[in-house]
Amino acid sequence: MRRLLSLWVVTVVLSLCLGCASPSAQDDCVRFVEARVAAVEPLSRRANLVYWEAATTGKAEKFEESAQLQLQIRRIYSDANDFARVKALRKSGIRDPRLVRQLDKLYYAYLQNQVEPDLLKQIVELDTKVQEAYNNYRATMDGRELTMSDIYTVLTTETDCGKREAAWRASKQVGNVIVEDFLKLVRLRNQAARRLGFDSFHTMTIVVGEQNVQELDRIFDELDRLTREPFAAMKQDLDKILAKSYGVTPERLMPWHYHDPFFQRTPLVYELDLDQYYKGRDVKELARRYYVSVGLPVDDILARSDLYDREGKFPHAFSHDVDRKGDVRVLANLQDTERWMETILHELGHAIYDKYHDPNEPWLLREPAQPLTTEAIAMFFGRLSRNAAWMQQMLGLSDEETSRIKQVSERYLRFQQVLFVRWALVMYHFEKALYADPDRDLNGLWWDLVEKCQLVKRPPGATDAGWLSKLHFTTAPCYYHNYMLGELLASQLHDCIVHQVLKLESDEGLSYVGDQRVGRYLRENVFGPGARYPWNEMIVRATGWPLSPKYFVEQFVDGVLQNGD
Ligand SMILES: [Zn+2]
C-alpha cells in the first residue's frame, strides 16, 4: 500500500514537472508579477479616488489630475522590455493556473499600451478633454439650462410636440460641441492600434477583451434575424398608441415622440404606468432591502455612494471599485421613478460583483471575468423593477393589483428586451464602422442604421452629430456589445438558477425576494472567482454551457408573434 502510494507520488511529481518551467523560472515569474502589481496597485487606487472626486464635483483640476494618474499607469504598461518579458514568460511553460491567468491579464494590459509616449500622451489628454466637455455641458432650451432629468421629464410627460422636439434636440446638442475633438481621438486611437498590427482600435479593443469580431458579428446577425419580425409587430402596436396620444398619424411619428432620446427604452404607454408604483417611494431603500434579502448586503456600498442630483455632478450613473479591497461606490441621480429603480438595482449589481471577489485571489484577478459578465449581473437585477412578483413583495401590492401589473409588465419587459437588441445593433454596427473609417458620412450612417434597425424615421433637414450625445462613445468606447452579451448571460444565469439551483419547473411568479440561495450561488460561481478563468470558461463552470443566445430568445423573443403583441 505504502509502496503504491510512493510510486503514485513520484509519478505525479514527475508528470507535474515534465515540460514545465523550472522552480527558479516560476519564482522569477512570481517576482515579476508582484513587482508590476506593486507599481500599479497604489496608482490605480489614487486614480480611482481622484476620478470619483472629478465625477461628483465636475472640477476641471480633478479631471486633469485623474488623466495624469491614468497616464502614469499606462506608461508602466507601455514598457517594451517588460512586454517582451511577459511574452517570454507566457511561453516558458509555467503551469500554476493562477500565475498563467495573471500573465494573460498583464499581456493584454501591455499589448494595448505599446504606444510611443508622445502618442499615448496625446490620446490620454484628448480623451480627458472630451470627457470633461461632455460632463460639463448643459443643454439649453429657450435659453434655459436643462439637466438630463429635465429632458427625461419632458420626453415622458409632455404632450406638446413642439416642446418635445425642442427637448429632444437639446439632448443632442453636446454631440455637435465635442464631435471635432472626438473624431481626432478616434484617429489617434486607430493610429496606435494600427502600429500594433490591428486594422482598427475597435478590433484591438475586442481582442484585448478576449473576444473576436467574427464571433460577435455572428451573434449580432443571429439576433438581428430572430428579432426583426417580432420587433416590427410590437413597434406597429406602440406607434398606434403613441400617434393617438399626440393626435397625429403613425406615419408622422418622429424620434422625439419615443420618450427616450435614443428610443432605447420602451415608452410606458400601455394600460398601466409603472412609474406610479414608485412615486413617493425610496428607491434606494427598496434596493437595500432587496439585496440584503438575497444574501448580498449593500449597506456599506450605499454609505460610500453619491446618489442624488447636484450641480456639476456627472448626470448619469456608474459603479466604481476603488481598490479591489471592498471600497466600492455608486454614483447616481436618483428619483422616484421606475427608470431609477432599475438603475440603482443595476449599478448595485455591478457593485456586489466587485465587493464579493474572493479576497484571497491575487489583485490582478480581483475583477469581473469580462465586462459582459458584470453587465450580466447588473441586468439580471435591473430587470426586477418591471417584475410583477418582485413589485408585489417589495412594494406590498395586493394580488389584484399585482395581476393587473403582471400582464402589462411582462409585455413591457419583453418589448424592452427586443427593443434593446435593435438598439444594440445600431450601436455595434455604427461603432465598428466609425473606427473602420472616421472620415465617412457618419451622421448619415447613424440614421441609416436607426431607420433599418429601430424603424424610427430621421428628422427632416440636415443630419448632425447628435449620435455623439450617447455617452458610451466617450466614456466606454467599443464596449456596447458587452451590454448585449450581458443580456444573453443574464438570461442564461436566470435559467440556471431557476432549474439547477432552485430546481423549479418554471420562473412563473418568481422574484427571488428573500432567497439566500441566489446570493450564495452567485458569490460562489461568479463573484468569488473574479477573473480567475477566461470568461467563457467561468460561464461553463457556472451554468454548464458556453454563452448562448438560446436562453434570452426563449425568455423574451419566442412567443411574441404568437401572443399577438
Ligand atoms: Zn452597467
Side-chain angles (χ1 to χ4, degrees), residues 152-202:
Y152 284 122
T153 305
V154 174
L155 290 181
T156 50
T157 60
E158 182 57 59
T159 52
D160 180 322
C161 294
K163 285 186 188 155
R164 299 187 65 87
E165 180 176 351
W168 181 84
R169 290 194 184 277
S171 77
K172 307 285 170 182
Q173 288 162 359
V174 65
N176 296 306
V177 173
I178 62 176
V179 68
E180 212 174 299
D181 277 339
F182 174 74
L183 291 178
K184 259 189 234 165
L185 179 61
V186 168
R187 290 184 200 106
L188 289 177
R189 283 174 174 159
N190 275 344
Q191 200 181 320
R194 284 180 186 140
R195 284 185 198 173
L196 293 170
F198 295 99
D199 59 2
S200 75
F201 174 78
H202 182 262

Side-chain angles (χ1 to χ4, degrees), residues 76 172 202 311 454 463 557:
I76 293 175
K172 307 285 170 182
H202 182 262
E311 184 67 32
Q454 291 182 287
T463 53
V557 185

Side-chain angles (χ1 to χ4, degrees), residues 293-456:
S293 85
V294 291
L296 300 166
V298 294
D299 303 62
D300 57 326
I301 297 168
L302 291 170
R304 283 185 292 266
S305 294
D306 188 319
L307 297 174
Y308 300 97
D309 205 2
R310 198 173 53 246
E311 184 67 32
K313 182 180 156 180
F314 184 68
H316 302 274
F318 63 84
S319 167
H320 195 52
D321 185 357
V322 171
D323 60 3
R324 305 191 186 188
K325 280 184 185 157
D327 182 352
V328 185
R329 312 162 179 201
V330 168
L331 180 147
N333 293 276
L334 298 182
Q335 294 187 334
D336 53 354
T337 60
E338 188 270 337
R339 182 190 182 91
W340 282 105
M341 184 75 250
E342 187 210 322
T343 302
I344 189 66
L345 287 168
H346 178 108
E347 299 307 337
L348 285 170
H350 287 300
I352 48 162
Y353 198 149
D354 293 331
K355 173 179 168 179
Y356 289 109
H357 291 318
D358 181 346
N360 298 315
E361 291 291 347
W363 188 83
L364 282 167
L365 305 185
R366 285 203 301 271
E367 62 172 17
Q370 215 279 342
L372 84 90
T373 64
T374 182
E375 289 309 336
I377 296 302
M379 286 156 169
F380 176 91
F381 289 111
R383 287 174 183 175
L384 293 168
S385 66
R386 295 178 179 205
N387 174 316
W390 188 87
M391 289 173 74
Q392 174 168 38
Q393 284 184 275
M394 295 308 298
L395 302 169
L397 308 178
S398 68
D399 287 347
E400 202 189 347
E401 247 175 329
T402 307
S403 69
R404 208 147 35 95
I405 294 170
K406 189 172 181 309
Q407 277 217 322
V408 182
S409 68
E410 274 179 8
R411 198 167 162 200
Y412 275 133
L413 197 58
R414 232 177 5 241
F415 195 164
Q416 179 57 44
Q417 297 299 333
V418 174
L419 172 64
F420 186 75
V421 174
R422 308 307 299 176
W423 162 241
L425 280 163
V426 173
M427 286 297 284
Y428 176 67
H429 289 301
F430 182 80
E431 219 171 9
K432 192 176 159 198
L434 160 72
Y435 281 92
D437 179 10
D439 297 307
R440 68 185 288 176
D441 171 19
L442 294 165
N443 303 344
L445 172 68
W446 176 262
W447 285 106
D448 291 345
L449 286 167
V450 169
E451 286 182 335
K452 182 170 153 253
C453 301
Q454 291 182 287
L455 307 176
V456 172

Side-chain angles (χ1 to χ4, degrees), residues 442-494:
L442 294 165
N443 303 344
L445 172 68
W446 176 262
W447 285 106
D448 291 345
L449 286 167
V450 169
E451 286 182 335
K452 182 170 153 253
C453 301
Q454 291 182 287
L455 307 176
V456 172
K457 289 195 191 77
R458 75 187 67 204
T463 53
D464 64 10
W467 51 269
L468 189 50
S469 64
K470 184 67 198 156
L471 104 134
H472 297 75
F473 289 118
T474 49
T475 58
C478 312
Y479 181 92
Y480 218 81
H481 60 280
N482 288 320
Y483 292 112
M484 189 65 253
L485 301 187
E487 292 285 9
L488 304 185
L489 179 56
S491 289
Q492 190 163 336
L493 287 169
H494 173 71

